[in-house]
Amino acid sequence: MKFSPLIRLHPEDNVLIARDGLMLGQTLAEHDLRVRAQIPAGHKIAARRIARGEAVRKYDVVIGVASRDIEAGEHVHTHNVELAELQRDPGFCQDAVPVAYLPQEQQARFLGYVRPDGRVGTRNFIGILSSVNCSATVIKNIAAHFTAERLAAYPNVDGVVAFAQTSGCGMSSPSEHFDLLRRTLAGYARHPNLAGVLIVGLGCERNQVGALVDSQGLMDDPRVRTLVMQDVGGTRATIAAGIAAVHELLPCADACRRSSVSARHLKIGLECGGSDGFSGITANPALGVAMDILVRHGGTAILSETPEIHGVEYLLTRRAATREVGEKLLARLAWWERYAAGQNAQFNGKVGHGNQQGGLANIFEKSLGSAMKGGSTPLQAVYEYAEPIAKTGLVFMDSPGYDPVAVTGQIASGANLICFTTGRGSMFGSKPAPTLKLASNTPMYLRLEEDMDVNCGRILDGELSVAQMGQVIFDAILRAASGQPTKSESLGLGDHEFVPWHLGIVS
């Protein structure tokens, strides 16, 4: 099948997207264009002359203004597009359409671990948490003891994993950072993908283990054990005590079995990293279709990365279930404007090197694609970072755009599986919730197939529509939730991606 070398996303757009790299001087008769520069795949080309100061439109949305006259056939990118701050009507709730939920008997099913509180896990780990960086080495040594050979007697346990972190002391308390750290640790401690939990502290830190478990309601949880190094007798003694504690947890964890449950128990964290010009054409909208399917089946989709909806937040406020939900989203963006003021952060409109190389000129353009991951259903709630998610349907959790930090918050909020779209090729993985990686284009998928789970480039290749790819992703989610290893799990990723969000000063 022969395709046009250019992709038009909307009739009103004044830029087109290069399906493959274009050569200087190349003639594109179908569009009456002569290429005026080398243009990489996924980048933009002017469909007509764009005057200086005129809006540059993609998806019929303004992504910036021309910083100089741009002739038809020119490369349109950071060298001739500048950011334009526009006032957009939030239009609270006006595009919210009620969801056509499926009856329970028609809901898709997967094999999950039903926990005593009714929540469902997709994996069956034992987790070890450090209350402070000072106990990080100890918990890593405890987890390292439990090799595959030593766990062979417990075939239903996916592993023993250490969640070390770099804070817990030298921080203000009480403070927003202190509360956020405790909320994150507690979210992991009660996560349905963990059958047992050991929390290890030093003893003199601000984030005291006893106060942590008491303040977060973990005192009476039979799955939770605690150790304090200064009380136990130091490093070696605590490692030995920790190994013994995990041995006590293993039989109960191994007794857990998967059973058939409804897809309404799925909470999917949505993430993108290493985005390119194709991410908003293939992987992100296809994931959005999959999330629309999930929501109709009663499940939950968790959109995050607040700086990466900057400029397109109105697409979500217009779909807010209530005005209050929409206003809460705008409040989080206003917080970010204050937080990032004067800093050379992504909130100033710039995107990372990989994004620019992939064809994205600024944060507005990236945000357009990023927001597509959430699909089209109403926004039901807005949560702060690592706040437990109680609502079903599409929700938003405030977080930075940095992938490990955002995903850590999603998992702490209850995500039992992560879907991660990428155009440049992220090598991300996570525990205890596994990550499915969705490639935006076939060349990258083939180059990095060992790391990629789903090739959404099949949309560009003409093999599948966006809707069909959405169903492919949903089916892959059900398989992964039922225990099929993801590529990142097979590679052993996820042990170093626990990164709670750091706020405030270090003293």
Side-chain angles (χ1 to χ4, degrees), residues 189-239:
R190 63 170 62 95
H191 198 280
N193 286 11
L194 296 180
V197 179
L198 173 63
I199 303 174
V200 181
L202 174 62
C204 55
E205 66 270 26
R206 284 183 181 262
N207 187 29
Q208 289 284 296
V209 170
L212 168 65
V213 298
D214 186 37
S215 66
Q216 302 301 313
L218 300 170
M219 290 289 289
D220 299 323
D221 192 330
R223 302 175 309 128
V224 176
R225 305 282 192 279
T226 63
L227 290 172
V228 176
M229 293 171 64
Q230 291 170 352
D231 294 341
V232 174
T235 299
R236 290 183 188 275
T238 307
I239 292 172

Side-chain angles (χ1 to χ4, degrees), residues 62 76 146 244 256 344 472 483:
V62 177
V76 179
F146 292 94
C256 298
N344 191 25
V472 168

Side-chain angles (χ1 to χ4, degrees), residues 402-445:
Y402 182 40
D403 303 328
V405 176
V407 171
T408 294
Q410 291 174 337
I411 293 173
S413 284
N416 51 15
L417 195 144
I418 306 297
C419 283
F420 191 120
T421 65
T422 182
R424 304 290 290 174
S426 173
M427 311 304 161
F428 185 84
S430 55
K431 292 177 181 177
T435 291
L436 274 170
K437 290 198 289 297
L438 316 177
S440 76
N441 63 89
T442 297
M444 184 272 285
Y445 175 83

Side-chain angles (χ1 to χ4, degrees), residues 310-456:
H310 183 208
V312 300
E313 61 273 8
Y314 69 97
L315 296 174
L316 294 171
T317 57
R318 293 166 71 97
R319 284 164 45 207
T322 66
R323 184 184 181 94
E324 179 184 24
V325 169
E327 288 179 338
K328 190 171 182 180
L329 181 65
L330 295 183
R332 294 316 301 166
L333 282 154
W335 180 93
W336 270 93
E337 287 192 20
R338 298 190 299 272
Y339 180 61
Q343 306 296 321
N344 191 25
Q346 186 166 263
F347 216 73
N348 66 6
K350 297 179 181 178
V351 293
H353 173 76
N355 298 144
Q356 290 189 34
Q357 291 291 100
L360 301 175
N362 56 46
I363 190 58
F364 287 1
E365 185 178 7
K366 183 178 181 182
S367 294
L368 275 171
S370 181
M372 292 178 183
K373 301 192 302 291
S376 63
T377 62
L379 180 65
Q380 301 291 351
V382 174
Y383 292 92
E384 294 193 21
Y385 185 86
E387 187 179 359
I389 289 173
K391 281 276 190 180
T392 58
L394 174 64
V395 303
F396 190 91
M397 187 207 73
D398 182 31
S399 82
Y402 182 40
D403 303 328
V405 176
V407 171
T408 294
Q410 291 174 337
I411 293 173
S413 284
N416 51 15
L417 195 144
I418 306 297
C419 283
F420 191 120
T421 65
T422 182
R424 304 290 290 174
S426 173
M427 311 304 161
F428 185 84
S430 55
K431 292 177 181 177
T435 291
L436 274 170
K437 290 198 289 297
L438 316 177
S440 76
N441 63 89
T442 297
M444 184 272 285
Y445 175 83
L446 295 175
R447 187 171 68 253
L448 303 175
E449 191 169 355
E450 189 178 27
D451 287 272
M452 299 295 123
D453 294 279
V454 179
N455 178 20
C456 297

Side-chain angles (χ1 to χ4, degrees), residues 74-270:
E74 273 198 69
H75 186 201
V76 179
H77 200 40
T78 54
H79 62 289
N80 53 19
V81 176
E82 59 187 12
L83 206 62
E85 287 285 356
L86 302 174
Q87 292 296 320
R88 294 181 170 98
D89 179 9
F92 296 116
C93 312
Q94 67 184 42
D95 291 341
V97 177
V99 178
Y101 293 105
L102 291 171
Q104 188 167 345
E105 63 273 12
Q106 294 181 24
Q107 291 173 3
R109 303 187 73 80
F110 71 100
L111 298 175
Y113 294 99
V114 181
R115 304 304 184 187
D117 63 2
R119 294 182 306 149
V120 176
T122 62
R123 294 296 183 270
N124 194 42
F125 284 99
I126 287 177
I128 314 173
L129 295 162
S130 60
S131 66
V132 64
N133 178 251
C134 306
S135 55
T137 297
V138 163
I139 70 166
K140 288 179 179 178
N141 276 275
I142 295 169
H145 173 83
F146 292 94
T147 61
E149 291 76 18
R150 287 181 170 133
L151 288 175
Y154 307 98
N156 296 309
V157 176
D158 290 311
V160 177
V161 57
F163 298 106
Q165 48 99 9
T166 60
S167 187
C169 203
M171 59 194 301
S172 302
S173 62
S175 67
E176 188 174 9
H177 181 195
F178 192 72
D179 292 342
L180 183 151
L181 176 62
R182 284 189 163 180
R183 192 163 67 232
T184 304
L185 292 171
Y188 272 66
R190 63 170 62 95
H191 198 280
N193 286 11
L194 296 180
V197 179
L198 173 63
I199 303 174
V200 181
L202 174 62
C204 55
E205 66 270 26
R206 284 183 181 262
N207 187 29
Q208 289 284 296
V209 170
L212 168 65
V213 298
D214 186 37
S215 66
Q216 302 301 313
L218 300 170
M219 290 289 289
D220 299 323
D221 192 330
R223 302 175 309 128
V224 176
R225 305 282 192 279
T226 63
L227 290 172
V228 176
M229 293 171 64
Q230 291 170 352
D231 294 341
V232 174
T235 299
R236 290 183 188 275
T238 307
I239 292 172
I243 290 170
V246 172
H247 272 297
E248 291 178 5
L249 293 168
L250 279 168
C252 185
D254 190 57
C256 298
R257 297 290 186 275
R258 291 185 181 272
S259 60
S260 178
V261 293
S262 166
R264 65 185 173 86
H265 293 289
L266 286 172
K267 292 184 177 180
I268 308 296
L270 309 176

